[in-house]
Every structure is written in structure tokens, then in C-alpha cells.
Amino acid sequence: MKKAFTLFLFIAVFSNCTSQKSSKKDVDSSDYYKFIIQESLTTNLTIIASDEMQGRETGTEGQKKAGRYIIDFYKKHGIRFPKGANDYYQPIPAEYLNAQYNENLPDSENIWAFIEGSEKPDEIVVISAHYDHVGIKKGEIYNGADDDGSGTVGIMEIAAAFQKAKNEGHGPKRSILILHVTGEEHGLHGSRYYSENPLFPLANTVADVNIDMIGRRDEFHKDSNNYVYLIGSDYLSTDLYTLCEEVNKKNNLLTIDYKYNDKKDPNRYYYRSDHYNFAKNGIPSVFLFNGVHDDYHKATDEVSKIEFDALTKRTQYAFAIAWEIANREKRLVVDKDDAK
């Protein structure tokens, strides 16, 4: 009887462990991207792209105020600054920001937040967006709701979803570095500075998922906002291209448009957002984008024109991409050299 009981106990414990492992394995991105909701995106963007932030020009008090709001959001959600950093800021001196074009910019800073990986903490997935815009011109405030207020609030929500997963025992295997970069409008300065002064070795950086303008639609999609442009996913890694395709099909999220993925496209969008400073260093990168519209770089790029249903789905898709990159067994393979 004792032997039988011991055997029963062993089977029960083994079955419970197996059940727990199976349960964890069954968790996927859809279990957590559903927590990225329109209401929260609306609340945050209404503040980030308000007149109070004075157009978030690089290094101005308006941008710094927006930065403080972003950091308060992370503190509220229990999301810490990265290991090895002193706080949420990566300071960038004016000397660096003005070295190329001498635009008389003041000191500024990138903002970062961090979710440490559970199994491969030294491997880093960067999720980036620029939080600067063009400030005030001729007395008009350029609020940049789409450019790039949409990406800014998007990666805030992505961070919160990853942190929720971690709090519930389903944290990413690899570490997530959320990177709000400055100086994009003046020449991708913030992302270039990070790539030249990385907190974590670039050799350990698995990928960059970059978001720049995902809250509107362009002239080529007048009948539907259920799309997103992907740029650069296949330039360095077949794995990344395949992953982006499979994640979208699995979750039935959006129509992927590769119109601007051609390097010969005269708009040269591949070279015009912050992912490029990762890609040129051999890091697989993908850029999510809604295309330009009539309010691009105008004072009329306001929150009232944001299509929050599209912003929500594109943010969810970006999260799902990052989730798969962070949790796949092997890091993305770089099998191409077509990034520059």
C-alpha cells in the first residue's frame, strides 16, 4: 500500500509539473496583446501630443515634460530602467547633436525602460520610437500626433503588456529594451548615439522593432486602415521576414504592404527612421509605418485625426512580432548583408 501511494504521489506531482510546463508553453502573444487597448492609447496620446508639450522639439522643456510623463507611466506599471543604467535617461550632449548640421540644439536624452529576460537575459530585443517632433513654428504648435506620438504611446503600451506577462510568470525569454529616442527629426541623432554608445553590446542585440507613424492612413488606402507598411524585415534575416509574415497570419491582424520595402523607392523611408542605425550595424530590423498623409510635418497633425482602431491593431502587431523574437528558441539568424 505504501509503495502504491508513493507511486501515485509521484505520478500526481509529475502530471502537475507537466501541466504547468504545458500551460506556460501554450501562452502566446495573443494572450497579452489583448491588453493593448484603444482607451489607454487615447489617454496617453492626448497628453503626449497636447499643446502642453509644445511640439516636443529636441532638448526643449516641452520634450522634457513629455519625457517625464513617459517615465511616470513606466514607474506606475512597475517597469524599471535597464540594468547598468543610473536612471531612465541616456543623456546626449549638445555637442554631439550639433556635430553634423550645427542647428544649435541643446542637450537632450534618450529614454529607456527594461524588462529582463527569464532565460536569455543577455540577449536584447530593442523596441524603438522617437518621441521628439519639430516644436513651434511661426507661433503654431506642431503636436506630431502621428509623427511620432503614435509610435511613442505604442511602445509604452507594448512595455506594459510585456511587464504584465512577466508579473504573471510568462516573461519573455530574452530581455526587452524599450528605447524612446530623441533628435530623429534632425537626423536620427538619438538612435545613432545609442548605436555608438550602447548600454548592451550590439553583438548581443537580437533585433530592433521600430515604430514611426502608425495612427493614420495614406492616399493608397483610402478605403481601409487595416494595413501596415513593413520595411526592412528581409534585408538581413530571412527568419525575421518569415516571423513577421507568420505572426500576422496566425493572429489575422492586418494586410502587410511592402510598397516601400524596395531600396530603389524614391522616398527612401528605409534610411529615414531609427531602425536604420541598428540595421547598418548588422542587427535585423523591421520598421512599421502607415505612410504619409496631408498633415505630415504640419501643425494639423493632431490627435483628433488619429484612427485609434488602426493604432491599436498596429501596436498589437508590433507587440506580437517582438514577443515571437523574444521567445523563439534560437535568436534570429543573419543570413543576408543588404542593410546599407
Side-chain angles (χ1 to χ4, degrees):
M1 186 72 179
K2 187 174 181 181
K3 287 183 178 179
F5 177 77
T6 302
L7 179 62
F8 172 80
L9 185 63
F10 172 79
I11 292 171
V13 171
F14 178 80
S15 299
N16 186 50
C17 290
T18 302
S19 174
Q20 287 179 353
K21 287 181 181 178
S22 175
S23 174
K24 186 164 185 176
K25 185 178 179 181
D26 289 341
V27 171
D28 64 21
S29 61
S30 63
D31 291 291
Y32 287 98
Y33 75 56
K34 66 185 179 183
F35 293 106
I36 296 172
I37 58 173
Q38 184 169 319
E39 289 77 6
S40 186
L41 288 162
T42 303
T43 296
N44 289 323
L45 187 55
T46 299
I47 294 170
I48 289 292
S50 68
D51 286 353
E52 189 177 354
M53 306 304 176
Q54 301 175 328
R56 306 188 308 280
E57 171 67 292
T58 300
T60 62
E61 177 54 30
Q63 188 203 34
K64 293 178 188 299
K65 191 169 189 176
R68 291 192 292 271
Y69 178 82
I70 292 167
I71 291 169
D72 285 345
F73 175 90
Y74 290 135
K75 289 179 177 178
K76 178 182 176 182
H77 286 82
I79 304 168
R80 296 184 56 80
F81 53 81
K83 297 178 75 172
N86 295 321
D87 53 30
Y88 290 94
Y89 294 111
Q90 182 184 35
I92 307 178
E95 181 182 10
Y96 183 92
L97 294 169
N98 293 301
Q100 288 187 335
Y101 307 116
N102 194 24
E103 295 180 276
N104 198 32
L105 297 170
D107 295 344
S108 189
E109 49 277 320
N110 293 332
I111 292 172
W112 47 29
F114 190 68
I115 296 97
E116 186 173 25
S118 60
E119 295 182 19
K120 304 173 187 287
D122 293 334
E123 294 186 12
I124 311 297
V125 180
V126 177
I127 305 174
S128 59
H130 72 92
Y131 74 110
D132 63 306
H133 194 51
V134 299
I136 301 173
K137 297 182 178 181
K138 297 180 180 179
E140 285 191 289
I141 300 174
Y142 285 58
N143 283 318
D146 194 26
D147 185 15
D148 185 27
S150 60
T152 298
V153 299
I155 69 172
M156 290 164 65
E157 293 299 321
I158 288 170
F162 269 114
Q163 186 64 48
K164 181 174 178 60
K166 182 169 183 175
N167 293 346
E168 295 179 357
H170 302 295
K173 292 179 180 179
R174 294 175 177 83
S175 295
I176 304 294
L177 177 66
I178 302 294
L179 190 62
H180 297 267
V181 291
T182 187
E184 190 271 355
E185 300 287 7
H186 293 278
L188 313 184
H189 294 326
S191 55
R192 180 165 49 85
Y193 186 84
Y194 180 85
S195 71
E196 294 172 4
N197 302 272
L199 183 61
F200 304 102
L202 293 185
N204 292 358
T205 303
V206 172
D208 174 45
V209 179
N210 183 55
I211 304 175
D212 193 349
M213 298 176 58
I214 57 166
R216 298 279 297 272
R217 74 178 78 184
D218 67 4
E219 62 176 332
F220 302 110
H221 299 86
K222 292 180 179 178
D223 295 331
S224 176
N225 61 22
N226 195 54
Y227 74 95
V228 68
Y229 291 109
L230 287 191
I231 302 174
S233 65
D234 61 342
Y235 283 11
L236 283 166
S237 174
T238 303
D239 277 350
L240 179 55
Y241 168 80
T242 302
L243 182 150
C244 291
E245 284 281 332
E246 290 180 349
V247 164
N248 189 54
K249 289 175 184 175
K250 176 182 177 181
N251 294 286
N252 193 28
L253 287 167
L254 297 158
T255 297
I256 298 176
D257 193 327
Y258 290 103
K259 176 180 175 63
Y260 297 121
N261 195 51
D262 186 348
K263 283 191 175 183
K264 296 178 182 177
D265 180 79
N267 296 287
R268 292 175 58 82
Y269 291 128
Y270 172 72
Y271 303 94
R272 290 171 53 185
S273 193
D274 294 294
H275 63 281
Y276 181 66
N277 283 315
F278 292 92
K280 74 179 185 182
N281 283 289
I283 297 168
S285 302
V286 61
F287 168 27
L288 286 79
F289 179 49
N290 57 215
V292 298
H293 42 73
D294 290 342
D295 300 303
Y296 174 69
H297 274 210
K298 293 181 181 177
T300 49
D301 182 6
E302 296 282 5
V303 173
S304 61
K305 296 183 179 180
I306 294 294
E307 299 181 56
F308 282 98
D309 57 339
L311 173 55
T312 303
K313 288 192 75 172
R314 292 165 184 159
T315 302
Q316 291 173 339
Y317 180 38
F319 172 84
I321 292 171
W323 175 279
E324 294 300 328
I325 295 170
N327 287 297
R328 73 196 309 263
E329 190 61 33
K330 296 181 179 179
R331 64 182 289 173
L332 297 173
V333 174
V334 176
D335 59 353
K336 299 181 180 181
D337 186 16
D338 193 25
K340 296 181 181 178

